[in-house]
Amino acid sequence: MFSRKLFLMTVACAAFSSPTLSQTATPANPPMSAPGPVMDMFYSGSWMPTHWRASDAVGQVVYNRANEKVGDVEEILIDGDGRVLAAVVGVGGFLGIGEHKVAVTYRSFQMTRDASGKAKLVVDIDKATLKNAPEYKPTDLMKRG
């Protein structure tokens, strides 16, 4: 009885797989372009004073040109190619209550350091403009589970 089941399973597998074997497979999701040499996959540049770490930006107080605090960076938005798109700035409110979140393009920021080397973000936008800017609301796809 066992050998009969084995025989039928073998015949069924052969029958269903033979048309597949004769066709050229097209992947449902084409692979990304082949990476270059392994050395191209790792950053090997030197640290420069103009470089920033994400941890330097998230939580950072944002100032305007008048050196007034206008908000703080809550998160950084990055596209699929690894480019920084925007910083989400929490504006107004107190202890997170009544806060208005605004996504400001990252190129709008001037990233500087104070005399002690501490990171400082400056944006050329006044408080009223930020408070009246469209509120940033992540889509359901962006929300974490």
Side-chain angles (χ1 to χ4, degrees):
M1 184 70 160
F2 178 73
S3 60
R4 182 175 178 196
K5 284 184 181 179
L6 181 62
F7 173 75
L8 290 174
M9 286 177 41
T10 305
V11 170
C13 286
F16 289 117
S17 66
S18 62
T20 305
L21 293 175
S22 65
Q23 296 175 356
T24 304
T26 303
N29 294 322
M32 295 187 318
S33 60
V38 173
M39 294 308 291
D40 289 343
M41 298 173 82
F42 301 100
Y43 177 74
S44 61
S46 301
W47 181 257
M48 304 295 289
T50 56
H51 291 175
W52 279 58
R53 298 178 306 163
S55 59
D56 285 338
V58 175
Q60 185 64 241
V61 173
V62 178
Y63 297 90
N64 64 13
R65 297 271 180 225
N67 206 32
E68 301 170 312
K69 177 184 173 182
V70 294
D72 59 318
V73 176
E74 299 204 358
E75 62 183 311
I76 304 294
L77 304 178
I78 301 169
D79 73 7
D81 292 327
R83 290 182 299 249
V84 176
L85 299 174
V88 177
V89 178
V91 180
F94 180 72
L95 298 176
I97 299 171
E99 187 174 67
H100 180 71
K101 294 181 183 181
V102 178
V104 179
T105 59
Y106 213 66
R107 67 181 176 274
S108 299
F109 289 94
Q110 179 185 9
M111 297 169 278
T112 64
R113 296 194 183 273
D114 63 17
S116 67
K118 185 176 182 235
K120 184 174 181 180
L121 287 173
V122 178
V123 67
D124 195 14
I125 304 173
D126 60 42
K127 288 181 182 182
T129 302
L130 278 172
K131 286 182 182 179
N132 293 319
E135 186 172 3
Y136 166 74
K137 294 181 182 178
T139 65
D140 288 341
L141 294 176
M142 293 175 67
K143 292 180 184 175
R144 294 182 190 161

